[in-house]
Structure formats: structure tokens, C-alpha cells
Amino acid sequence: ATAYAIEYLVFLFQRVSMAGCYVIVMLFISWELSLLSALLAVICGSTLGFAYRRLRRAGRELGEANQEVSSHLIEALSATKLIRTTNSQEREIEKFYRLNETSAAVQKEAVQATALLVPVTETIGIIGGMIIVASATVFLVQPGYMKGEALMGFAFLLIRLMPLLTQIYHLYGQTLSLVGNVERTERWLGISQFPQQSFGARSFRGIENGIQIRGLEYRYPNGTIALRNIDLDIEAGTTVALVGGSGSGKSTLAAILQRLRQPSAGQIL
């Protein structure tokens, strides 16, 4: 998703640069008509605002839905024997189908919002372009303020500019639809590796009484809270299983017990 977002941004930059060249020539021909064309572009962008909001929301929801599907598949494949032993196949299948339906519904919303971009942009552009040319003919060409050849040149540039604007609005919408995955990737990249620290010279000789965890909390440098207010007693010689969904903090707690991470708050006795 991040690679697609970068590709869309590159194409968007190219189209904006080309559109900028057309606008410069149009300003040279007639700044009044250029202002009307700019107003048309603003109206078009404002009209598409609702579609952009839907795409941005759908992009975030789609990223979360895909993560839930992937996490469920990984957990189910890792616990195949446990699922068969507890006869939970039907429940896991039902959960998988439910997650897929949620992901499909969000993707459908994104596709519907994307499908609105091109026809809405082209319709507004054609109507607005006709209004601009007709107004220029009546108020500029006929009174003699502007030559007909200049209007024809401006109209030609405007016609060439319309497809570029359509592509720009479409690429911008596609980029917004990927913003959720990009933000998720950014949060993942912000998670630090195990810190380098001194562990001392004393040898570990085993646990005599047990481990007591009181009010343990851990927060990643990017602000993500992994553990909050954890209280746990583990007696010496006992076996404890940490069970939870993907991302619930099991590995983080194990890393803290091994002193691979330092807790943000709380005590380990």
C-alpha cells in the first residue's frame, strides 16, 4: 500500500506540473478567464469533498479490517490442533467469514466513492468550460476587449487542462484511500528495537519465591500503549500461559521479564 501511495504521489506531481504550465500560458492570454477557471477548479474540488472524506475514512477502516483478517488467519493456523481439540472449527470459520464481509463492505464503499470522482469532475468541467467560453464571447469578444483568436487559444488550453484536472482529482482520491495503510506502516516503523543497556555482572541463579508484577505499564516511543496496569503473581516452579489476540502485549510482557525492555511504570518484584 505504501508503494502504491508513493507511485500515486509521483503521478500526482507530474500532472500538477503539467497543469501548472497550462495555467501560466492561460494567464498570459487572459488573467480574467484564468481566474474564472481557477474558481471552477475550486468548485469542483469542493464538490468532491464528500467523496474524499469517504475515501479517507474507508482507507483507515480497510487497513484495520485487513489487519484483523491477517491476525485471525495467523492465530488460527498457529492453533490448528487447539481448535480441533476444542471443536471450535465452526466458530472460527464464522468469525473468518464475518471479518471478510466487513473488509468487503469497506472496500465496496471505497470503490463507490472512487467511481464518483471521474464523472462528477468531467460533468462540472464541461458545464463550467461552456459557461466560461460563452461569457467570454458575450462580455469580452463582442465588445472588442478580446480577440477571437485569443479566445480560441484559451479554449484549446482549457480543453487540454480538463483531463489533467480529472486525473489530479482521481489520483488524490486514490492516495487518500491508502492513507490508513500508510499511517499503520508509519506507526510500525516508529516502534524501536530492543534498547542497548547494561545488565550487570550478577549471574541468575533461579527464582526462589516467585515473580510479582504490580501496576506494570509500557508505552512505545511512538505513543502506542502496549501494557497498562498489569498485576500478576507467578509462583516459583509453576507454568503460566499468556493467552491473547495478536497485539495484546504478550511478547512485550515477556521481553520486559527478560529485561529486554524497560517498563514505563510499575514494579517487578
Side-chain angles (χ1 to χ4, degrees):
T2 304
Y4 282 123
I6 295 174
E7 183 179 358
Y8 289 149
L9 287 174
V10 171
F11 286 150
L12 184 62
F13 176 76
Q14 292 176 346
R15 299 305 186 272
V16 170
S17 300
M18 294 172 62
C21 295
Y22 284 123
V23 170
I24 292 174
V25 179
M26 292 167 66
L27 283 170
F28 180 76
I29 295 175
S30 174
W31 65 268
E32 297 93 341
L33 296 181
S34 298
L35 288 179
L36 288 176
S37 301
L39 179 61
L40 175 63
V42 171
I43 293 174
C44 188
S46 301
T47 306
L48 295 174
F50 74 96
Y52 289 148
R53 288 190 292 271
R54 287 181 60 185
L55 281 171
R56 191 179 186 90
R57 184 181 67 252
R60 289 196 176 96
E61 293 177 354
L62 184 60
E64 295 174 358
N66 289 338
Q67 183 185 23
E68 290 181 1
V69 172
S70 300
S71 299
H72 177 70
L73 283 175
I74 293 173
E75 292 173 2
L77 293 174
S78 302
T80 302
K81 293 183 179 179
L82 179 62
I83 292 173
R84 293 178 62 87
T85 302
T86 57
N87 196 26
S88 303
Q89 296 95 317
E90 294 295 329
R91 184 184 64 186
E92 294 299 322
I93 292 173
E94 181 182 353
K95 182 179 180 181
F96 177 73
Y97 278 123
R98 186 171 63 251
L99 292 174
N100 268 296
E101 289 175 356
T102 302
S103 177
V106 175
Q107 191 169 4
K108 179 181 178 181
E109 181 182 359
V111 171
Q112 289 176 343
T114 304
L116 291 173
L117 297 177
V118 174
V120 170
T121 305
E122 289 183 348
T123 302
I124 296 177
I126 292 173
I127 296 175
M130 293 174 63
I131 293 174
I132 290 174
V133 173
S135 301
T137 303
V138 174
F139 297 104
L140 295 178
V141 176
Q142 292 181 356
Y145 298 112
M146 185 178 187
K147 293 182 179 180
E149 294 82 358
L151 178 59
M152 291 180 61
F154 187 91
F156 173 77
L157 293 173
L158 186 61
I159 292 173
R160 297 286 296 176
L161 182 62
M162 287 302 173
L164 282 176
L165 288 178
T166 301
Q167 294 177 19
I168 289 171
Y169 288 129
H170 185 264
L171 289 171
Y172 181 67
Q174 292 288 344
T175 305
L176 287 179
S177 66
L178 298 173
V179 68
N181 291 308
V182 174
E183 291 176 348
R184 190 174 301 278
T185 302
E186 183 182 5
R187 288 197 299 269
W188 179 78
L189 292 174
I191 298 176
S192 62
Q193 300 295 321
F194 294 133
Q196 298 294 328
Q197 56 183 336
S198 174
F199 289 92
R202 295 177 57 184
S203 301
F204 177 70
R205 301 185 182 279
I207 299 175
E208 297 180 359
N209 300 320
I211 299 176
Q212 295 180 347
I213 300 176
R214 296 291 180 266
L216 188 69
E217 296 185 3
Y218 185 80
R219 182 189 300 268
Y220 286 105
N222 64 356
T224 302
I225 298 176
L227 299 171
R228 177 182 291 173
N229 197 24
I230 302 296
D231 293 325
L232 179 64
D233 292 330
I234 304 176
E235 297 182 1
T238 61
T239 301
V240 177
L242 298 176
V243 181
S246 177
S248 59
K250 304 183 299 297
S251 300
T252 302
L253 179 58
I256 291 175
L257 291 176
Q258 298 175 77
R259 290 194 63 196
L260 296 176
R261 297 190 186 276
Q262 291 292 342
S264 303
Q267 292 181 316
I268 301 178
L269 306 174

